[in-house]
Amino acid sequence: DTGVSQNPRHKITKRGQNVTFRCDPISEHNRLYWYRQTLGQGPEFLTYFQNEAQLEKSRLLSDRFSAERPKGSFSTLEIQRTEQGDSAMYLCASSLLGKERDRGLSGNTIYFGEGSWLTVV
Amino acid sequence: AQKITQTQPGMFVQEKEAVTLDCTYDTSDPSYGLFWYKQPSSGEMIFLIYQGSYDQQNATEGRYSLNFQKARKSANLVISASQLGDSAMYFCALAGGYQKVTFGTGTKLQVIP
């Protein structure tokens, strides 16, 4: 399967524990995104990377959240000292940002993984 | 700032009929893209169709077409010949010049046999 892969798919953890999610983007995609989605809501932007550089972080991303993409390939999202409000699905997505002449974004489709469900009890 | 608005929380459509899901947007980027995604109950986000702001023609992908009206800032999704498997949440999304993607709140579509 050559799509975006996320692990683990489901995680149940006790409040106060740390959890880490991994995302493997589509090969050679230079953009990688993390989103959070709660029941009945649309995905909310958390952060995104261009290669290994983290370009933007949402205000939703408190100090307990950290994301890395050390070699510009896979990424990890760590949540420290989890709280019940962190329970959500964490979605990873990737895309291939084209060259300057392609700024019309034509074909720069953003593909999502299947998500990682987090339940904090 | 980017904003996506989906005003229909839920829609019903008879099987084999066509349905239009509404989406309006706002952005200050001169170049942007609009996406529609389908999210079944399993949770995966499935890409359906893409429209670039400079594309002259409306995008089509099989039974999906995007009715893009740039002056009105609308990008409605039309699904023709609805099937039972089309029942899902549908999200409209906007990607600005730096491809930060903003999602709407979604429309839950239910196809009735």
Side-chain angles (χ1 to χ4, degrees), chain B residues 25-103:
Chain B
Y25 63 92
D26 194 17
T27 179
S28 55
D29 288 316
S31 176
Y32 52 89
L34 293 148
F35 302 82
W36 276 92
Y37 289 87
K38 172 184 178 182
Q39 189 176 45
S41 55
S42 58
E44 59 186 309
M45 195 73 74
I46 302 168
F47 166 74
L48 294 179
I49 195 167
Y50 168 85
Q51 178 84 43
S53 58
Y54 290 114
D55 291 343
Q56 296 296 316
Q57 302 210 355
N58 286 344
T60 59
E61 289 285 349
R63 295 186 298 111
Y64 304 108
S65 60
L66 201 152
N67 183 3
F68 181 48
Q69 298 188 46
K70 194 171 183 178
R72 293 186 176 185
K73 295 190 175 181
S74 73
N76 298 338
L77 177 70
V78 180
I79 305 174
S80 62
S82 297
Q83 301 172 357
L84 295 178
D86 294 334
S87 294
M89 284 290 287
Y90 288 80
F91 290 98
C92 182
L94 169 68
Y98 290 97
Q99 276 207 314
K100 174 185 169 182
V101 183
T102 302
F103 284 82

Side-chain angles (χ1 to χ4, degrees), chain A residues 6-13 19 21 37-40 86-91 114-120, chain B residues 39-44:
Chain A
Q6 292 189 243
N7 289 288
R9 292 292 317 283
H10 298 88
K11 179 73 176 177
I12 300 174
T13 190
V19 297
F21 298 110
Q37 187 178 21
T38 52
L39 280 174
D86 298 332
S87 295
M89 180 167 68
Y90 291 84
L91 285 161
E114 294 179 314
S116 292
W117 292 92
L118 173 65
T119 302
V120 181
Chain B
Q39 189 176 45
S41 55
S42 58
E44 59 186 309

Side-chain angles (χ1 to χ4, degrees), chain A:
Chain A
D1 183 28
T2 56
V4 179
S5 177
Q6 292 189 243
N7 289 288
R9 292 292 317 283
H10 298 88
K11 179 73 176 177
I12 300 174
T13 190
K14 291 183 178 179
R15 189 175 54 186
Q17 297 293 306
N18 299 343
V19 297
T20 300
F21 298 110
R22 175 177 169 129
C23 173
D24 288 90
I26 293 172
S27 179
E28 297 182 355
H29 274 193
N30 50 12
R31 280 286 175 100
L32 187 147
Y33 309 80
W34 285 100
Y35 284 80
R36 180 172 69 187
Q37 187 178 21
T38 52
L39 280 174
Q41 301 295 318
E44 297 172 297
F45 170 79
L46 292 179
T47 188
Y48 76 115
F49 294 84
Q50 170 83 13
N51 298 313
E52 66 274 10
Q54 189 172 19
L55 296 186
E56 187 175 342
K57 291 173 60 173
S58 164
R59 284 172 292 177
L60 293 173
L61 220 61
S62 74
D63 292 344
R64 297 184 297 105
F65 289 71
S66 62
E68 294 182 343
R69 195 183 183 197
K71 297 182 180 179
S73 56
F74 73 92
S75 175
T76 57
L77 176 69
E78 182 183 15
I79 309 173
Q80 296 181 327
R81 304 181 303 282
T82 52
E83 302 173 356
Q84 287 186 322
D86 298 332
S87 295
M89 180 167 68
Y90 291 84
L91 285 161
C92 177
S94 71
S95 69
L96 178 62
L97 186 66
K99 296 178 182 177
E100 191 62 28
R101 64 182 172 83
D102 294 331
R103 281 295 296 267
L105 300 179
S106 198
N108 292 345
T109 300
I110 297 169
Y111 294 95
F112 282 81
E114 294 179 314
S116 292
W117 292 92
L118 173 65
T119 302
V120 181
V121 298

